[in-house]
Amino acid sequence: PPRYVVLAEEGPAHNKSFQIEAVVHGIHYTAAGGSSKKEAEQKAARMALEALLGGILDEEGPALDESVVAREA
């Protein structure tokens, strides 16, 4: 499972911003920011998933065609 690392937490309590990176199997992926930990974690997870899938994502998640799935199987 992924692990999330808070790299930065800035701002006053009522207006915080967070920078968080996802770590999967010891590999650190590009950090993402958000106005809540949950938002930043979701963005970091998406960036890690894009990296793992080679950037093949659309707005609703993985957008793999059958040739990619077959090649990986």
Side-chain angles (χ1 to χ4, degrees), residues 3-72:
R3 183 171 57 91
Y4 298 99
V5 178
V6 177
L7 300 177
E9 184 175 330
E10 300 175 342
H14 68 278
N15 192 23
K16 290 243 185 227
S17 65
F18 299 88
Q19 285 290 319
I20 294 179
E21 71 178 0
V23 181
V24 181
H25 297 294
I27 300 170
H28 295 249
Y29 292 91
T30 304
S35 58
S36 69
K37 284 183 181 179
K38 180 178 180 178
E39 178 186 9
E41 286 177 356
Q42 288 174 338
K43 288 180 179 180
R46 183 173 182 83
M47 293 176 77
L49 184 59
E50 285 177 347
L52 288 165
L53 293 176
I56 307 173
L57 283 182
D58 64 18
E59 288 301 313
E60 296 183 15
L64 300 174
D65 63 33
E66 291 302 315
S67 64
V68 174
V69 175
R71 195 170 57 235
E72 295 296 323

